[in-house]
Structures are given as structure tokens and as C-alpha cells.
Amino acid sequence: MESKIISDSDKKNTNTNKLEELEARRSLAQLGGGEEKNKTQKKKGKLLARERLSLLFDNGEFEEFDQFITHRSQEFGLDKQKYEGDSVVCGVGQVNGKQVFAFSQDFTVLGGSLSEVASMKICKLMDHAVKTGCPVVGINDSGGARIQEGVESLAGYGEIFRRNTMASGVIPQITVIAGPSAGGAVYSPALTDFIFMVEEIGQMYITGPEVIQAVTGEKVNHQELGGSKTHSQKSGVVHVSTKNETECFNKVRELLSYLPSNNLDDPENLESSDSVNRISEKLKSIIPNEANQSYDMKEIIREIVDSGKIFEIHKDFAPNIITCLSRFNGQVVGIVANQPLSLAGVLDIDASVKAARFVRFCDAFNIPILTLVDVPGFMPGVNQEFGGIIRHGAKLLYAYSEATVPKITIIVRKAYGGAYIVMGSKELRSDINLAWPSAEIAVMGPEGAVKIISRKIIQESENKEETQNKLVEEYKDKFANPFVAASRGYLDDVIDPSTTRSKIISSLKMLQTKSDNNIPKKHGNIPL
Ligand code: HXC
């Protein structure tokens, strides 16, 4: 048989042709669904999938995976509609100098719908993230399961949901909703730690407006049903709502700066230019003289943290409790605080669930918890009882009880009833419990308590109002102060409010090497 000897110049030509093919295929992949679809995406006010990843990663740089994957479907004409990379762009890069994995659904390819291979890409990325111990950011802009593929696409979602669950508490998972997220597809975001939504373009719902109208007769538009206002204020599905995509990705980067890469790491300590021993005179007079007067708890928080900087989670949902990340002398701390400005800081269903989830996140990722208490109790009311305040409130008890990270609690004013116990009490394994002199720790507020325990005396007295006022004053003298609790050791100290920052920093230092474990078990049974 005659053999052909390939010359060096032939080899060079062949290699050049192969490189040209590679470049041509890459350029095609970069086009996503094509120029027309890209234009339509822009007209809808949305960025392209790769532009979004550029906003997320340091210097806009990332490495892509699986650019040449294509779907295998033959039905409904899909055999003639193939796109290099299919409907999701997957990549790895740096965020604040640390490795992060991210996927970005490409709406220009068949509406970003999830195909079997798109799911394979996402799952591969998530597997890499878990094995290497790095956070995952998922950018959602999709019409849901690829209808033409049927069960293959449904199974794809199942594979993602399982990985979301297994990665929960191992690596931080963050979702960005920058387009539609409909049907069962919403459950992948819901299984992640934080959901960001971009106003106007982001929407999430199980069933859209048309189906709702057909089934229940209710009329609602897409934004009212599943837009950022709805989910960041009413449902609590969204943790951070932003005006536009640039703000959104800046916020995601900011959040990541507070988080460790995985559950075995600690969050990064940064240099702080704020003085450790900074005294805040303002805190001495921040609590109003009248018990039922409100004030802004955020003012206290901003006074004590490094340079007044906080990252709020669920800012507009259950505003009667504040959950935020911040730093003390450069160390990351999660803060839970009652907000007297909203519903007097009472604990209701939404506040309990919001705080419980935050406490569990902090505990999973080695973030110490600071609790600032001014709580008049659990919210009374038929709606609250029917809504299950018992089981929802129990979530917060459960979360604090099981948390083993350093826990510091400061009672600044009211700590009444069950809410005293819930909000990081000593009994729920808090390490350091402090109080301001303005603290009032009691089973309930003075007026309510006197009406119950002294009803007979008041009724039988000549001047009921005078008697009641006198008894209220007596009750206040006895209980409306921190010294009874301090004398029993339920508090470690009563402090001058102006020194709060330095006390927190010294407590954190003392607790730096804290080690505590729960009894080994398969898993607990948190009241759901
Ligand atoms: C295949 C889809 C698709 C899907 C959209 N497209 N959704 N293709 N499967 N799920 C295609 C459209 O046919 C269209 O193709 C292109 O994407 C753009 O869609 P438009 O409708 O033109 O865009 P827009 O007007 O912006 O509307 C977006 C939308 C709408 C609101 C998302 O497309 C829509 O309602 N899609 C269906 C949503 C849905 O019900 N999905 C199934 C959910 S159930 P052409 O070629 O015309 O450009 C689900 C189950 C998951 O996901 C279960 C997991 C457990």
C-alpha cells in the first residue's frame, strides 16, 4: 500500500485550519442565540449572559466551560436549532481575589430554557465548586424546563435541586434573578442561600398570571405577581432587590466579601481603620425615656460597627427585625437586632423565619452572631396564631440553640417573655450576655403584668388608676432593670452604652478559639 508522507508545510496548514475552526466555533458560541436575539434581549432592558458574568468577576475575566456542548433533541424541529454551548454560559473566575464559579442562563438561546445538556453543564460546575470548596453564583433568565425535551429537561432540574441541597451549608450559593424564573424552576434559587432580584426584569412564580386567572379567577400582572417588590417585601423570597444589573452584581460582589469560600474556612479578616476603643457618647442618650417611644436600631448598629458599614439582608421584608453582615475590627459578624421603629420590634411569623434562616446561615459558615435586643414579645393576634406563630417562632429558638459559632447578646431595652429567651439568651448557649442600664428583663411588660397579678387588688381599691400606677412603678423598680438578671448570672455584665464597640471586640477576641459541638446525629428535626 502506498503511504503518504505529510510534509511539514502540510502539517502546518492542517494545524492552522484546526485552529481556525476552533476560533470560528468559539466566535459562534460567543454569539449565543445570534445577533437578532441579542438585540431583542437588549430591547427588553437585559444584558447578555456573558456581559453579566463580566460584571460579576474581577476585571471582567473568567474561563468558560463547555462552550461546544449542543443539545441532542430531535423533536419539534429542534434538530435544526442547535447552538454551541446551548442555553447557559458556565465559568470560573475571581471575585475579590477569591475563586468563584458562576453560570448565566442565556435567554437568547430558546428562551434560556433548561435542556438536558444545560443541566449537565450546571451540574458539572456545581460539582467543581463543591470539590474545590468555592461559592456558586447562578444567574437566572429562563422560560423554565425546555418544553420540547419533556422528561429529560425535568430530570435536569432534579439533578440541580439535589446538588443545591447537598451543597447547602458546604459552599455559599447565591442566585441572581435577571429575567423570568417560572414554574418548578424557581426551586433551584429557593434552595440557595441568597436571592438577588433586579427590578423590572426579574420575575419569579410557580404559575403565571394566565394560569392563575384560569384557575382562581384572580387578575394580576407579571410584576405584581412575582416582581422584586412582591418578593422582597411580601413573600421574603428575595433577599436583596436592586435597581439595575450593575448595582446587582456590585452587591453580589460585596456580599461575597463577607463570606468564607466554604464551611471549613473562616471569612476573611480585613484591616480596619476604625479604632477598637472608639467611645460613642451618642449611645448614652439614644434610648428614649418613655418605654413606648421608638428609635432607630440601625443607628446603634452603625455606631458600633467598623466605619458604620453594614450589608443588610431582607431589608424590606419583616423590617421589625434587622439582619445584616458587618465587621468589628475587621472580623465579619452577623447581626440580628429588633427594630423598635417597626411594630415596636415585636417578633411575628415573618421576623422569626427571617432571623432563623440568617442565624443558621451564619452558623453554617463560621460567622459569629451579635444579637441586639429590644423586644416587647411575640406578636399577639388571631392571624398570627392561625398562621402558625408557634411553629415559626420555634424555628428561631431552634436556630439559636443549635448554633455553635461565637454568640454575643446585648439587651439595650426590653427583653420580655419568650422573646427574651429566643433572642440569644444565655440559656440558648450564648457565650457573652451584656445589658445596657436601660435594659428591662421580665416575663411581660409592667402594665400587662400588673393587670394580671394584681387584678383583685386594683378592683377592690378605691382609686383604681392610682393603685394601678403605683403597682406598675413597683413592678418597674423590681424587674425593669438589668440587675436582677445580672445578680443571677444570666447576664455577664451591665455596661456603659458608649463602650459597646470595644466590649464586643474584646468578647470576639476572647471567643476566637471557641470550639463547641452538638450531639452527633443524622440531622435534627427543625419545625418547618
Ligand atoms: C422551550 C421556550 C421556553 C421553554 C420560552 N421559550 N420558554 N422554549 N421551552 N420553556 C422560547 C420561546 O418559544 C421563544 O422562542 C423564546 O424562548 C423567547 O420566548 P418569548 O416568549 O418570545 O419571550 P418573552 O415574551 O420574553 O416571554 C418569556 C416567558 C415566556 C414569560 C418566559 O416565554 C413563557 O411564558 N415561557 C414559558 C414558561 C413556562 O411555562 N415554562 C415551563 C415552566 S414549568 P422563539 O423561537 O419564538 O424566539 C417548568 C417545570 C420545571 O419549568 C419543573 C422542575 C421541577
Side-chain angles (χ1 to χ4, degrees), residues 240-453:
V240 180
S241 167
T242 63
K243 295 237 165 306
N244 55 49
E245 296 199 47
T246 308
E247 188 196 349
C248 180
F249 290 106
N250 282 338
K251 284 265 178 198
V252 173
R253 288 172 56 82
E254 192 183 340
L255 173 61
L256 280 165
S257 74
Y258 287 99
L259 310 185
S261 293
N262 57 65
N263 63 331
L264 301 177
D265 258 6
D266 288 329
E268 191 181 357
N269 277 358
L270 296 183
E271 282 287 314
S272 166
S273 56
D274 200 346
S275 158
V276 170
N277 294 315
R278 178 167 52 77
I279 295 288
S280 177
E281 292 295 335
K282 184 178 171 184
L283 296 180
K284 283 185 175 167
S285 55
I286 205 158
I287 303 288
N289 289 331
E290 290 301 314
N292 53 6
Q293 246 182 308
S294 65
Y295 62 93
D296 188 357
M297 180 65 90
K298 276 186 210 163
E299 273 190 51
I300 296 184
I301 297 175
R302 289 192 199 280
E303 271 303 300
I304 58 179
V305 301
D306 288 356
S307 311
K309 206 170 158 227
I310 60 171
F311 188 94
E312 229 183 311
I313 310 285
H314 268 147
K315 181 163 161 275
D316 302 313
F317 175 68
N320 39 327
I321 202 155
I322 300 161
T323 49
C324 63
L325 292 159
S326 191
R327 286 192 150 86
F328 284 89
N329 196 27
Q331 184 179 354
V332 176
V333 170
I335 302 174
V336 181
N338 309 111
Q339 172 58 291
L341 270 191
S342 172
L343 298 173
V346 75
L347 280 177
D348 58 3
I349 291 171
D350 287 348
S352 304
V353 175
K354 166 177 166 177
R357 187 151 167 80
F358 182 72
V359 165
R360 294 193 99 217
F361 176 82
C362 291
D363 188 46
F365 290 102
N366 312 317
I367 299 173
I369 298 160
L370 168 68
T371 306
L372 298 173
V373 186
D374 186 350
V375 62
F378 277 99
M379 176 87 142
V382 174
N383 282 346
Q384 290 288 310
E385 296 292 346
F386 286 7
I389 180 92
I390 297 173
R391 68 193 164 83
H392 293 298
K395 289 176 181 158
L396 190 51
L397 275 165
Y398 196 106
Y400 268 112
S401 297
E402 72 172 350
T404 55
V405 287
K407 292 188 278 190
I408 300 166
T409 297
I410 304 181
I411 301 173
V412 301
R413 189 167 66 170
K414 297 171 200 164
Y416 292 162
Y420 153 76
I421 307 169
V422 176
M423 293 299 297
S425 66
K426 213 39 153 191
E427 298 66 58
L428 304 192
R429 294 159 88 193
S430 174
D431 299 291
I432 300 291
N433 290 63
L434 307 172
W436 287 5
S438 47
E440 303 171 12
I441 304 165
V443 172
M444 61 196 297
E447 283 77 14
V450 163
K451 274 185 195 152
I452 293 171
I453 57 176

Side-chain angles (χ1 to χ4, degrees), residues 78-204:
L78 273 194
D79 51 333
K80 294 180 194 70
Q81 271 189 288
K82 294 221 176 195
Y83 301 89
E84 301 276 350
D86 208 69
S87 57
V88 64
V89 182
C90 289
V92 61
Q94 307 273 310
V95 175
N96 312 314
K98 286 205 220 152
Q99 184 162 285
V100 169
F101 289 82
F103 66 86
S104 179
Q105 293 182 316
D106 187 349
F107 194 85
T108 68
V109 175
L110 297 164
S113 56
L114 189 98
S115 62
E116 173 210 15
V117 293
S119 153
M120 270 173 56
K121 281 180 76 165
I122 294 172
C123 290
K124 194 192 273 187
L125 178 116
M126 292 179 74
D127 291 343
H128 280 315
V130 170
K131 284 181 200 159
T132 56
C134 300
V136 170
V137 177
I139 305 164
N140 289 51
D141 184 3
S142 162
R146 186 161 301 164
I147 296 164
Q148 298 92 326
E149 285 195 5
V151 69
E152 283 162 342
S153 130
L154 291 182
Y157 270 119
E159 293 285 342
I160 296 172
F161 297 166
R162 190 182 78 237
R163 281 171 176 78
N164 286 136
T165 309
M166 293 301 135
S168 179
V170 179
I171 50 169
Q173 299 181 78
I174 297 173
T175 295
V176 170
I177 306 287
S181 173
V186 295
Y187 285 117
S188 173
L191 287 164
T192 63
D193 299 303
F194 299 104
I195 302 183
F196 289 66
M197 189 182 270
V198 183
E199 282 174 25
E200 308 291 337
I201 59 174
Q203 294 157 25
M204 286 176 90

Side-chain angles (χ1 to χ4, degrees), residues 39-90:
K39 271 190 205 153
T40 313
Q41 173 84 346
K42 295 274 175 166
K43 268 193 211 143
K44 287 178 181 164
K46 301 194 285 184
L47 294 176
L48 301 178
R50 287 179 182 79
E51 290 174 338
R52 289 168 167 168
L53 290 174
S54 295
L55 284 178
L56 171 70
F57 288 116
D58 293 352
N59 310 316
E61 289 167 9
F62 60 96
E63 301 273 344
E64 254 192 80
F65 300 124
D66 288 330
Q67 269 193 12
F68 306 121
I69 261 186
T70 52
H71 71 74
R72 298 183 270 221
S73 313
Q74 301 293 321
E75 308 292 339
F76 302 100
L78 273 194
D79 51 333
K80 294 180 194 70
Q81 271 189 288
K82 294 221 176 195
Y83 301 89
E84 301 276 350
D86 208 69
S87 57
V88 64
V89 182
C90 289

